[in-house]
Amino acid sequence: MSDFEVWYQALWESGNVMRKNKKVNKNIILGFIASYLLVVLLVFTAQYISNSVVLNALKSNALDIVKNSFNSNVAIIEQNLDRVKETAVIVAQNTAARLENVERSERDFYSKLTSVKKELSSYYVGNAIIKDICIQNDVRDYLVNFDVAYSRRLAYYETMITSEKLTPQELLKASENANGFSTENACTYVGGIKAIPFVFPTPILKARTGSVLVYVDEKTMLMPLKNLLSNSNGAVKIFDKDNVLLAQDGRAELEFPNDG
């Protein structure tokens, strides 16, 4: 074998070794890259799962907080509405009854109305959701509230309140038939305060002769929920235990039904 052939064979064998080493190095590099990518993928997956768990937990906690806040505020509203009903019953039993036998022709008619007017103001203390309390006699046609004793009931409906749906005469007529919370008789007082009446009939000898009307300040009543809804586009409807709509706020039709 000539020197050239020896040199060429050596060069060929050297090339094979380099090609083998290059292939081995390539496999090592590919294996390293695959291992690195697998580690990165595992880390990313673990981090994603961890973040998802944390975010879901935070979301669940946030929803629980909101739900508890709603439940707490609804409970407060229900307690206030129960106090309104209790106030109406107390006024009917202890105050309205004293006026049932008062005749307009009696000399002390207005002095008795004035005495009742002062007493009504005492029921307002400590209950911020009460806007007004009225005692009206449908038969003898008079009405007494915090401020004035009206010899004509219509004068109260003409001067004290307005309604988008009903005229003063219609409000008066509706008050003679209403019983319980009367959202259809919702009105606005002078000064822009929206109110909903709770009507408690005052019967004498089982015949309805008048009623006690406790007007609820809608804004104050819904204030706890309005604070929760102020930064959202939510809405709320408040129902009593008889599923009667008491008040609503907001634009959407999101309802919280009474569960009894």
Side-chain angles (χ1 to χ4, degrees):
M1 182 180 294
S2 64
D3 292 341
F4 176 78
E5 291 175 337
V6 172
W7 176 82
Y8 181 80
Q9 185 175 358
L11 181 63
W12 175 261
E13 291 177 354
S14 176
N16 285 336
V17 170
M18 290 181 65
R19 281 192 293 273
K20 290 181 180 178
N21 289 339
K22 185 176 181 181
K23 186 176 182 180
V24 171
N25 290 338
K26 183 178 180 181
N27 290 336
I28 293 174
I29 293 173
L30 290 176
F32 175 77
I33 293 174
S35 299
Y36 178 77
L37 290 176
L38 181 61
V39 171
V40 171
L41 181 61
L42 289 174
V43 171
F44 176 79
T45 303
Q47 186 175 7
Y48 176 80
I49 294 174
S50 176
N51 289 341
S52 297
V53 171
V54 172
L55 289 175
N56 286 333
L58 291 174
K59 180 181 178 181
S60 178
N61 289 337
L63 290 174
D64 287 341
I65 291 172
V66 172
K67 182 179 179 180
N68 290 336
S69 297
F70 267 96
N71 290 338
S72 175
N73 288 324
V74 168
I76 292 173
I77 291 173
E78 289 180 342
Q79 290 173 6
N80 285 332
L81 295 177
D82 286 339
R83 290 179 63 190
V84 168
K85 296 178 182 179
E86 292 171 1
T87 299
V89 173
I90 292 173
V91 172
Q93 292 176 344
N94 300 336
T95 308
R98 297 210 307 269
L99 292 175
E100 290 294 343
N101 296 321
V102 174
E103 295 291 342
R104 191 184 296 271
S105 58
E106 294 181 9
R107 294 182 60 181
D108 60 347
F109 173 74
Y110 283 103
S111 65
K112 289 184 178 180
L113 295 186
T114 303
S115 174
V116 168
K117 177 176 68 69
K118 292 180 180 179
E119 186 174 336
L120 287 177
S121 298
S122 66
Y123 293 111
Y124 174 78
V125 177
N127 195 331
I129 72 168
I130 294 179
K131 169 58 183 172
D132 199 1
I133 299 177
C134 302
I135 299 174
Q136 70 173 11
N137 188 299
D138 302 343
V139 178
R140 297 188 178 90
D141 193 27
Y142 61 76
L143 183 149
V144 186
N145 76 333
F146 287 155
D147 303 309
V148 184
Y150 296 88
S151 58
R152 292 172 53 253
R153 292 172 299 152
L154 185 58
Y156 174 83
Y157 295 95
E158 289 177 335
T159 60
M160 285 293 293
I161 58 180
T162 58
S163 171
E164 296 179 359
K165 299 179 180 179
L166 304 177
T167 65
Q169 291 82 359
E170 290 171 334
L171 280 172
L172 172 59
K173 188 66 176 178
S175 71
E176 296 177 351
N177 301 311
N179 190 350
F181 284 102
S182 183
T183 53
E184 64 272 16
N185 294 351
C187 58
T188 304
Y189 273 80
V190 176
I193 297 177
K194 294 182 178 180
I196 301 168
F198 175 79
V199 185
F200 186 86
T202 54
I204 294 296
L205 299 177
K206 297 183 179 180
R208 177 169 181 162
T209 57
S211 56
V212 173
L213 300 93
V214 182
Y215 285 87
V216 179
D217 185 333
E218 180 180 339
K219 180 179 179 181
T220 304
M221 179 182 70
L222 291 176
M223 186 59 71
L225 291 178
K226 284 190 174 183
N227 289 337
L228 287 175
L229 296 166
S230 60
N231 294 324
S232 70
N233 292 321
V236 65
K237 289 185 177 181
I238 304 298
F239 295 84
D240 69 4
K241 293 179 180 179
D242 297 322
N243 206 34
V244 176
L245 178 64
L246 304 180
Q248 64 185 51
D249 182 65
R251 295 177 291 279
E253 290 297 321
L254 177 64
E255 298 186 6
F256 294 84
N258 188 292
D259 295 326

